[in-house]
Amino acid sequence: MKLSKTEEDLMSHLWKLEKAFMKDLLEAYPDPKPATTTIATLLKRMTDKGFVGYELFGKSRQYKPLVKKSDYFSKHVNGLIKNFFNDSSAQFASFFTKETDLSKKELEELRKIIDRQIENK
């Protein structure tokens, strides 16, 4: 299951905070802040989808992510590779390194990451 763009924005705040009450989430947004009802609706949808859980403290809910950020994005990157690059990580890497404006230093850092992964196999 996937999150909408607005749900992803809210989820990114929750991943950073790790646990948060409604007021904490609202404070995390820049001005102009979304309405409390908007955040409440998003949290309800995300709870129904299984991305967010909560613990009750009296009448207040403390929300927490049920899905790790790395797991969420890994699944979507793998889907992107499957759907747009014929399930080929090499095609994705080729596109990524050619079509993004990476500096020589960034490309060298990527090479080091790849070399470490090769050593660990």
Side-chain angles (χ1 to χ4, degrees), residues 37-100:
T37 53
T38 301
I39 299 300
T41 300
L42 291 171
L43 287 167
K44 169 78 169 94
R45 287 194 327 221
M46 293 161 65
T47 300
D48 291 346
K49 290 180 180 181
F51 286 95
V52 173
Y54 61 87
E55 187 177 343
L56 284 172
F57 289 89
K59 292 183 179 184
S60 297
R61 294 179 181 186
Q62 185 181 45
Y63 295 94
K64 63 181 178 183
L66 297 178
V67 175
K68 288 188 223 171
K69 183 178 184 177
S70 59
D71 291 342
Y72 178 76
F73 285 103
S74 175
K75 180 180 176 187
H76 291 288
V77 167
N78 288 329
L80 180 74
I81 291 169
K82 182 178 181 181
N83 295 326
F84 294 99
F85 297 98
N86 300 319
D87 211 10
S88 169
S89 297
Q91 283 184 18
F92 171 73
S94 175
F95 175 84
F96 178 74
T97 56
K98 289 178 184 175
E99 300 298 325
T100 55

Side-chain angles (χ1 to χ4, degrees), residues 7 9 16 24 30 36 40 51 55 82 89-90 96 106-107:
E7 290 168 342
D9 290 344
K16 285 178 193 167
D24 302 320
T36 304
F51 286 95
E55 187 177 343
K82 182 178 181 181
S89 297
F96 178 74
E106 289 169 321
L107 288 168

